[in-house]
Amino acid sequence: MEIRKVGVLGCGLMGSGIAQVCAQAGYETVVREIDQKFIDKGFGVIEKNLSRAVEKGRMSSEEKESTWSRLKGTLSLEDLKDCDLIIEAVVEDLKVKNELFSQLDKLCPERTIFASNTSSLTIMAMAASTQRQDRFCGLHFFNPVPVMKLVEVVKTIATSQDTIDTCFDFCRKIGKIPILAKDNSGFIVNLLLVPYLLDAIRALEQGVASIEDIDNGMKLGCNHPMGPLTLLDFVGLDTTYNIANIMFEEYREKRYAPPPLLRKMVLAGYYGRKSGKGFYDYTGEKPVPMDLGL
Ligand code: 3HC
């Protein structure tokens, strides 16, 4: 099956990035949000990214214009009814996601493939809210979407091979490298990444080393582009807390249990870069490690 028009649910950090790469690759793309202010914010980020690409000579002004002409923001789910593929990137809340999927299931034609960008929920828990379990899969992108090459394509016990083949082809067309994962909470990357990030918080809690030294350890010792605490601030501490809770519920293994420090930081509103404070304080000119009273 050929994908021509893509619908994206949510215009946050992930949704706006997904919409950008789809429109850039030539797909007509409609992004649905619940409030115009979220569309404006997400489209502002896309504008900045595209302008930077033009400045750097990686894109022509004409390409930028044509990308914009393919992008549309909407508050109405109805506007997604003729999409061939719909990628959901809303809050990590099964009830919210399923409400959207079951409404769209009634609006969209049989051919439309539904996909979720969930980080930790199982895809089958969403597919079950629709009558198209064979045309339902996971498409898990990574932050920042325009830069990160990987997409995990998640096959449930009910996803058809045709859906997987179409999604692999789509991922390649938007310049990504797809890998196939089973529908286990966390798929491949978060199954391994989340315990690592939580262990970094536990190391800090236990006084193993300072924030900067933990980060420098992994940056310089393992050649990671970011240390784990910087990466936590980048992903969002609230997001990580949610993911860890969902994975702990699923596996009941200690390595997925969110450490108390993470919970306290989320309660304090220290969500990382997006709130200005996390393991580092971003309110000044340069990020500085936070005094967490440890
Ligand atoms: N959006 C678009 N482009 C961006 C960007 C963003 N948010 N951030 C950086 N870039 C681009 C820059 O424009 C630059 O492009 P250019 O060289 O053509 O100008 C390029 O990326 C490199 O950026 P910088 O030189 O500013 O900075 P770095 O070299 O430090 O790279 C980084 C930034 C790509 C974010 C790098 O630090 C990195 O790879 N970090 C790790 C990211 C990671 O691990 N992501 C996965 C998170 S887990 C996840 O998403 C799963 C979820 O389920 C939790």
Side-chain angles (χ1 to χ4, degrees):
M1 186 193 130
E2 204 193 329
I3 306 287
R4 287 195 188 87
K5 185 169 176 181
V6 181
V8 180
L9 295 167
C11 196
L13 197 66
M14 300 304 285
S16 64
I18 294 168
Q20 179 189 324
V21 294
C22 293
Q24 251 178 270
Y27 292 103
E28 203 188 326
T29 307
V30 195
V31 194
R32 192 263 184 177
E33 255 298 352
I34 48 169
D35 193 315
Q36 186 61 37
K37 70 176 182 220
F38 298 127
I39 297 176
D40 295 343
K41 194 171 174 209
F43 277 27
V45 174
I46 297 176
E47 164 58 30
K48 252 174 74 182
N49 288 342
L50 297 183
S51 296
R52 195 181 154 89
V54 173
E55 271 165 38
K56 289 232 157 190
R58 278 187 275 116
M59 183 186 265
S60 68
S61 306
E62 292 74 33
E63 280 170 317
K64 183 184 165 192
E65 282 313 306
S66 68
T67 298
W68 270 123
S69 71
R70 287 186 289 269
L71 259 177
K72 187 183 160 201
T74 182
L75 301 178
S76 163
L77 271 187
E78 287 260 339
D79 288 341
L80 274 69
K81 68 170 188 252
D82 56 346
C83 289
D84 305 299
L85 170 68
I86 294 177
I87 306 170
E88 169 277 314
V90 304
V91 283
E92 202 70 334
D93 180 327
L94 188 60
K95 248 176 105 176
V96 175
K97 290 178 194 281
N98 281 355
E99 180 63 38
L100 288 167
F101 281 130
S102 71
Q103 283 185 52
L104 283 166
D105 196 33
K106 293 179 192 97
L107 285 172
C108 294
E110 214 181 295
R111 69 169 194 281
T112 311
I113 293 175
F114 287 2
S116 172
N117 178 55
T118 183
S119 308
S120 48
L121 293 164
T122 52
I123 303 300
M124 199 59 220
M126 286 168 257
S129 71
T130 72
Q131 301 300 313
R132 59 182 80 223
Q133 298 180 5
D134 55 331
R135 276 149 294 130
F136 205 121
C137 67
L139 283 180
H140 185 215
F141 290 78
F142 292 83
N143 181 26
V145 178
V147 179
M148 304 296 282
K149 283 281 173 206
L150 187 72
V151 178
E152 289 178 304
V153 179
V154 185
K155 189 176 192 301
T156 73
I157 54 164
T159 313
S160 70
Q161 191 54 43
D162 207 30
T163 300
I164 295 298
D165 293 344
T166 304
C167 286
F168 261 67
D169 189 42
F170 167 76
C171 288
R172 290 186 181 116
K173 283 191 176 135
I174 59 169
K176 302 294 180 197
I177 297 166
I179 56 174
L180 185 65
K182 268 196 191 163
D183 187 25
N184 289 328
S185 179
F187 317 129
I188 302 166
V189 175
N190 280 341
L191 191 77
L192 304 176
L193 178 66
V194 171
Y196 158 68
L197 295 177
L198 300 180
D199 275 347
I201 304 175
R202 284 189 260 271
L204 181 69
E205 249 176 353
Q206 289 159 15
V208 171
S210 67
I211 293 173
E212 269 175 317
D213 285 350
I214 291 173
D215 272 349
N216 277 332
M218 294 310 290
K219 245 178 95 171
L220 307 177
C222 294
N223 243 358
H224 287 190
M226 288 174 163
L229 301 172
T230 304
L231 184 56
L232 277 156
D233 279 355
F234 186 70
V235 170
L237 270 58
D238 51 339
T239 306
T240 309
Y241 183 65
N242 262 335
I243 296 173
N245 274 318
I246 293 168
M247 293 184 77
F248 182 69
E249 272 295 304
E250 184 77 15
Y251 297 114
R252 293 277 158 189
E253 282 178 30
K254 208 174 150 198
R255 62 201 179 120
Y256 298 108
L261 176 61
L262 177 60
R263 184 163 164 270
K264 286 179 206 154
M265 291 179 74
V266 172
L267 285 172
Y270 298 167
Y271 298 155
R273 277 201 203 181
K274 63 179 152 189
S275 70
K277 282 180 181 169
F279 289 102
Y280 294 84
D281 185 336
Y282 299 89
T283 54
E285 230 167 72
K286 268 174 93 180
V288 287
M290 283 278 285
D291 178 1
L292 296 169
L294 296 165

